[in-house]
Amino acid sequence: MRIDVKLREELAQRLYEESDRTGVAWVRRPESVKHAFREAAERKLRIHSDDHAGHGHSHNHNHDRPHHGAGVHRPHGSGHNKSKPVMEPCSR
């Protein structure tokens, strides 16, 4: 699937502006910063198009539902903190 460059650029700029806390305009940011946002925009566009390609979906569906692949779901107790010691109350 080919990504529309103009659409990717508009989405990248919108993602940047939504997350920008410095107040620096998109046009003044270095290419390395823009590149990262372009890649993020391309991933979003690919996920969206893959989600709907060949499934007979119309674009009238509910965008309030979570997207497929958003977040990682692990069973309770798994992950990096499963062996942390329990803190004992101070007896002083």
Side-chain angles (χ1 to χ4, degrees), residues 14-91:
R14 191 173 79 229
L15 291 171
Y16 168 76
E17 289 169 351
E18 288 172 357
S19 68
D20 178 41
R21 295 187 178 111
T22 63
V24 177
W26 171 255
V27 296
R28 299 178 63 78
R29 296 303 274 173
E31 280 301 310
S32 59
V33 172
K34 290 180 181 181
H35 180 73
F37 281 95
R38 287 177 184 133
E39 285 184 336
E42 189 164 326
R43 278 192 306 274
K44 278 189 133 187
L45 291 170
R46 284 192 192 286
I47 289 170
H48 183 77
S49 65
D50 290 347
D51 233 7
H52 302 290
H55 296 289
H57 288 281
S58 68
H59 283 276
N60 295 328
H61 52 72
N62 185 358
H63 278 278
D64 293 334
R65 67 173 175 77
H67 291 287
H68 300 291
V72 175
H73 301 284
R74 284 180 254 182
H76 183 69
S78 67
H80 69 279
N81 62 354
K82 71 179 179 182
S83 63
K84 280 188 177 178
V86 176
M87 296 296 288
E88 296 293 327
C90 183
S91 60

